[in-house]
């Protein structure tokens, strides 16, 4: 029987193949896990590319890109910085940062330090520890602590649109080659998607521009008030540029001030009707030179220029509303800090829009001037016809009646003829007064006559009927502004008393401007009671006394009440 352990027998011989097999199986399992991880990552990358390619809104797309990048490499923080024309970051979109952390930041990164290095040399950069790099500076106060870093540029054709910044990989690990490759692939796809979104955005902006121009031109040429048209200009400019705020400031060359007539969007209630001297406004230089200005940070620019900043704004675009002698003011669009700046294409579009809006406003003013001239010419023709035809015929009729009165034998006939002559004289005076009113220049300010009729119209509803109105003399010429204001106040008080207390069915109002200004208000009501408040009557008497005049109130001959308010007039109308 052979021995159990022959000489030279090695009992460890079957163990060695077993160990090699375990290592091979472990390596195979590791590689399979790597393949599965790569497969999952590629699938996630493809899903991210499809996701960002399906949205044409640029703002939404940029946020989707940075969120997809942080998810692909398991980064805690991510940001997408959009590079402006001066190689500074004009927009900074974050992922993984809470709103409290954002609020605690002194300002958004401007593109200095490591972020600036990636802007100057747009190639992927990977760092194990940010703080050890010599370019590591520029983080604002209260910025979250960060060590691991991966930065990848986003190219749109030959242009570097911006950069992807990723920090703090899960588990504290460093970013590796696979992380860099997958983010670079995402950045390449993002560049194509961004280009498509920008082309779509430009097309939509141009479409809105054409619609806005047509709408403004139609509104102006259809007679819409200029104030309403300016509201439309500002609203359409803000929508067209996707801005947070838009304003139109018209220039007052006499006072050298810009008057913000209309504003739309954020802070519009703060800026509405603000007047700023040319030297204290960023828009002052734009108005003087006729050259547009694009600002990356309007608040910082104002601070550098020593100009007080009324609202915290970031990117802004200021374009002149008209040029040369036809310059009218400045059209401004702006965004709050952290929102995108306005590119060259937006500036060109807004300049064209502002120029056409200024031309439309100028044409509308010329059209209104022409219409006003037609009205004045028509009024002048009517005045001449009244003076040369109507007054002469009335005067001839009065002369005929006066001659007939001399040969009549009956007193009743003579009284009636005299009354007719008096009525004709009164009619001639009123026609002459109307002629002077028609020949007055058509100013924007309402005349005293029109304001008197406005008082009558305003009390008609409360009275239940329209008072009879008679105006005589050169009211718009000889009555100064202060006396006119007193006259209007007394007339309002007299008619208000008649409406509240008189229970009248008829009110006659006459205003005569001769050596004195006489207001007479007569009603057929119940008269003034013996008791009751008389503060209104005291005010009328006080107004007459302050002008050196008199006030009288008495019962009418056939009942009712008669108020007479008389003040002297200067012959030169002052």
């Amino acid at each position: 029987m052979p021995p159990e352990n022959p000489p030279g027998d090695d009992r460890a011989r079957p163990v060695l193949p077993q160990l090699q097999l375990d290592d091979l199986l472990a390596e195979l399992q590791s590689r399979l896990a790597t393949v599965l991880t790569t497969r999952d990552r590629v699938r996630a990358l493809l899903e991210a590319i499809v996701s960002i390619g399906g949205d044409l809104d640029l703002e939404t797309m940029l946020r989707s890109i940075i969120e997809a990048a942080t998810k692909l490499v398991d980064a805690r923080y991510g940001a997408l910085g959009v590079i402006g024309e001066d190689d500074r970051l004009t927009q900074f979109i974050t992922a993984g940062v809470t709103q409290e952390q954002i609020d605690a930041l002194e300002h958004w990164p401007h593109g200095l330090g490591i972020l600036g290095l990636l802007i100057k040399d747009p190639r992927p950069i990977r760092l194990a520890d940010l703080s050890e790099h010599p370019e590591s500076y520029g983080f604002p106060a209260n910025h979250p602590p960060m060590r691991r870093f991966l930065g990848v540029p986003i190219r749109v054709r030959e242009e570097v649109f911006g950069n992807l910044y990723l920090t703090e990989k899960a588990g504290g690990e460093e970013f590796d080659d696979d992380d860099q490759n997958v983010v670079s692939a995402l950045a390449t796809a993002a560049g194509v998607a961004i280009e498509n979104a920008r082309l779509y955005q430009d097309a939509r902006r141009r479409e809105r521009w054409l619609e806005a121009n047509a709408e403004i031109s139609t509104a102006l040429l259809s007679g819409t008030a200029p104030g309403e048209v300016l509201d439309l200009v500002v609203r359409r400019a803000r929508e067209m540029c996707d801005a947070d705020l838009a304003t139109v400031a018209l220039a007052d060359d006499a006072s050298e001030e810009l008057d913000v007539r209309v504003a739309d969007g954020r802070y519009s209630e703060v800026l509405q009707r603000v007047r700023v001297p040319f030297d204290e406004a960023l828009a002052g230089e734009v108005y003087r030179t006729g050259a547009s200005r694009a600002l990356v940070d309007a608040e910082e620019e104002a601070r550098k220029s020593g100009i007080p900043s009324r609202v915290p704004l970031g990117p802004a675009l200021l374009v002149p509303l008209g040029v040369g002698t036809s310059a009218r003011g400045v059209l401004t669009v702006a965004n709050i800090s952290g929102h995108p700046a306005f590119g060259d294409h937006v500036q060109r579009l807004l300049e064209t829009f502002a120029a056409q809006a200024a031309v439309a406003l100028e044409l509308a003013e010329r059209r209104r001037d022409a219409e006003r001239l037609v009205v004045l010419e028509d009024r002048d023709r009517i005045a001449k016809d009244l003076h040369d035809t109507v007054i002469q015929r009335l005067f001839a009729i009065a002369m005929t009646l006066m001659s007939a009165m001399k040969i009549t034998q009956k007193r009743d006939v003579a009284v009636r003829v005299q009354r007719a002559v008096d009525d004709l004289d009164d009619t001639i005076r009123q026609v002459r007064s109307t002629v002077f009113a028609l020949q007055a220049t058509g100013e924007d300010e309402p005349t005293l006559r029109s304001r008197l009729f406005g008082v009558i119209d305003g009390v008609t509803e409360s009275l239940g009927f329209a008072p009879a109105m008679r105006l005589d003399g050169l009211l718009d010429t000889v009555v100064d502004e202060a006396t006119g204001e007193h006259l209007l106040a007394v007339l309002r008080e007299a008619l208000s008393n008649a409406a509240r207390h008189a229970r009248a069915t008829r009110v006659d109002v006459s205003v005569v401007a001769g050596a004195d200004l006489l207001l007479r208000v007569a009603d057929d009501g119940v008269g003034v009671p013996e008791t009751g408040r008389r503060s209104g009557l005291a005010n009328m008497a006080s107004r007459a006394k302050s002008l050196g005049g008199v006030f009288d109130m008495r019962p009418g001959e056939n009942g009712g009440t008669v108020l007479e308010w008389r003040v002297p007039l200067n012959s030169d109308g002052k």
Side-chain angles (χ1 to χ4, degrees):
M1 191 171 173
E4 292 183 6
N5 296 310
D9 185 21
D10 188 359
R11 298 182 52 158
R13 188 183 308 165
V15 176
L16 182 60
Q18 181 68 38
L19 289 174
Q20 290 177 346
L21 181 60
D22 289 343
D23 290 341
L24 289 173
L25 287 174
E27 184 178 352
L28 178 60
Q29 186 176 5
S30 175
R31 293 193 177 187
L32 285 173
T34 302
V35 169
L36 290 174
T37 302
T38 303
R39 184 199 65 182
D40 293 340
R41 178 171 278 189
V42 170
R43 180 182 296 170
L45 175 62
L46 292 175
E47 289 177 353
I49 291 172
V50 172
S51 173
I52 64 177
D55 200 328
L56 290 175
D57 180 72
L58 186 58
E59 187 78 17
T60 305
M61 179 187 296
L62 296 180
R63 190 163 297 282
S64 299
I65 290 171
I66 189 57
E67 289 174 352
T70 55
K71 185 177 180 181
L72 284 171
V73 298
D74 289 331
R76 181 178 179 183
Y77 302 116
L80 192 157
V82 180
I83 303 173
E85 297 175 5
D86 59 349
D87 290 338
R88 299 279 294 275
L89 295 179
T90 59
Q91 190 177 4
F92 205 73
I93 301 170
T94 62
V97 183
T98 65
Q99 187 61 45
E100 290 75 14
Q101 290 173 314
I102 293 174
D103 295 338
L105 292 177
E106 182 181 352
H107 60 79
W108 285 109
H110 294 314
L112 306 175
I114 297 298
L115 306 189
L117 181 64
L118 193 58
I119 293 173
K120 290 182 285 188
D121 186 12
R123 290 182 297 178
I125 182 172
R126 211 165 66 233
L127 299 173
D129 192 341
L130 272 171
S131 60
E132 294 181 357
H133 197 280
E135 295 285 339
S136 180
Y137 68 92
F139 284 104
N142 301 316
H143 196 283
M146 296 179 181
R147 293 181 62 243
R148 314 298 189 191
F149 178 82
L150 172 61
V152 177
I154 300 175
R155 295 181 182 272
V156 177
R157 295 185 181 178
E158 300 302 320
E159 169 198 359
V160 178
F161 173 82
N163 297 313
L164 288 172
Y165 307 112
L166 301 160
T167 62
E168 301 306 287
K169 187 175 173 67
E173 299 179 9
E174 295 183 25
F175 294 104
D176 56 21
D177 289 339
D178 289 340
D179 294 327
Q180 181 175 320
N181 290 335
V182 75
V183 174
S184 296
L186 178 67
T188 301
V192 177
I194 289 170
E195 175 68 5
N196 291 335
R198 289 167 80 176
L199 290 173
Y200 173 76
Q201 208 172 47
D202 289 346
R204 286 288 300 145
R205 186 176 287 117
R206 191 167 296 277
E207 182 182 349
R208 289 199 297 267
W209 171 67
L210 292 172
E211 291 174 352
N213 273 330
E215 188 177 5
I216 290 167
S217 299
T218 302
L220 281 169
L221 297 178
S222 63
T224 304
E228 296 180 21
V229 176
L230 286 178
D231 285 335
L232 184 61
V233 168
V234 165
R235 191 164 61 252
R236 292 292 176 262
R238 188 180 66 80
E239 293 171 356
M240 188 172 60
C241 300
D242 294 323
D244 295 320
L245 171 71
T247 65
V248 163
L250 298 184
D252 185 349
D253 291 320
S255 61
E256 294 191 346
E257 290 181 324
L258 285 168
D259 180 10
V260 181
R261 290 292 181 86
V262 288
D264 184 65
R266 294 197 184 191
Y267 308 114
S268 57
E269 67 282 353
V270 178
L271 297 173
Q272 193 88 17
R273 304 305 303 186
V274 169
R275 294 181 68 91
V276 186
F278 290 163
D279 296 335
E280 297 181 11
L282 294 173
E285 181 183 347
V286 175
Y287 172 70
R288 286 200 189 99
T289 63
S292 302
R293 289 189 68 185
L295 306 175
V296 176
D297 191 333
E299 190 173 11
E300 182 181 353
E301 190 71 26
R303 189 163 47 248
K304 287 179 181 177
S305 304
I307 296 172
S309 178
R310 287 175 169 79
V311 291
L313 293 177
L317 183 57
L318 300 85
V319 302
L321 194 63
V323 294
T325 57
S326 62
R328 312 175 66 84
V330 177
L331 172 62
T332 301
V333 292
N335 282 332
I336 61 174
S337 297
H339 282 206
F342 304 99
D344 289 339
H345 57 291
V346 177
Q347 180 173 333
R348 289 192 296 270
L349 205 62
L350 190 64
E351 286 172 344
T352 306
F353 175 74
Q356 293 190 355
V359 170
L361 286 168
E362 187 75 18
L363 289 175
E365 281 196 2
R366 296 293 176 265
R367 179 174 175 268
R368 284 194 301 273
D369 289 342
E371 291 175 348
R372 190 179 294 115
L373 183 60
V374 169
V375 171
L376 291 176
E377 289 176 346
D378 197 40
R379 289 172 60 180
D380 189 57
R381 179 187 58 79
I382 295 171
K384 288 179 179 178
D385 289 344
L386 288 173
H387 183 271
D388 298 338
T389 305
V390 177
I391 290 181
Q392 300 303 325
R393 294 186 65 180
L394 290 174
F395 188 72
I397 294 171
M399 293 295 292
T400 302
L401 289 174
M402 288 178 67
S403 61
M405 186 172 59
K406 294 178 181 179
I407 61 175
T408 183
Q409 300 297 322
K410 294 184 178 180
R411 177 170 177 76
D412 291 344
V413 175
V415 170
R416 291 187 180 184
V417 171
Q418 183 62 52
R419 188 176 301 158
V421 171
D422 293 340
D423 290 342
L424 285 171
D425 287 340
D426 185 57
T427 303
I428 290 172
R429 284 194 299 272
Q430 292 199 44
V431 171
R432 280 177 174 162
S433 179
T434 304
V435 168
F436 280 111
L438 287 170
Q439 290 177 334
T441 56
E443 301 290 339
D444 292 335
E445 291 295 328
T447 63
L448 180 57
R449 284 175 175 273
S450 63
R451 297 174 70 186
L452 287 168
F453 279 111
V455 173
I456 295 294
D457 293 339
V459 80
T460 297
E461 184 176 353
S462 57
L463 277 172
F465 57 88
M469 186 75 160
R470 172 177 171 267
L471 304 179
D472 192 4
L474 308 179
L475 290 170
D476 298 327
T477 305
V478 300
V479 180
D480 64 273
E481 183 177 353
T483 304
E485 291 295 337
H486 284 293
L487 172 67
L488 292 168
V490 171
L491 178 58
R492 285 193 200 96
E493 182 66 31
L495 292 176
S496 175
N497 288 341
R500 287 181 295 174
H501 309 300
R503 300 200 294 272
T505 60
R506 177 179 175 84
V507 176
D508 295 314
V509 177
S510 66
V511 183
V512 180
D516 295 334
L517 176 63
L518 172 64
L519 168 65
R520 187 176 185 274
V521 180
D523 65 64
D524 62 352
V526 297
V528 179
E530 294 296 331
T531 59
R533 295 182 58 187
R534 294 176 176 260
S535 57
L537 300 176
N539 288 337
M540 293 187 230
S542 175
R543 289 178 182 275
K545 185 177 180 181
S546 67
L547 297 173
V550 294
F551 170 72
D552 178 52
M553 181 187 68
R554 62 180 183 274
E557 295 180 0
N558 299 315
T561 305
V562 176
L563 299 179
E564 285 191 355
W565 188 83
R566 184 189 298 269
V567 296
L569 288 176
N570 295 325
S571 59
D572 57 359
K574 294 181 181 180

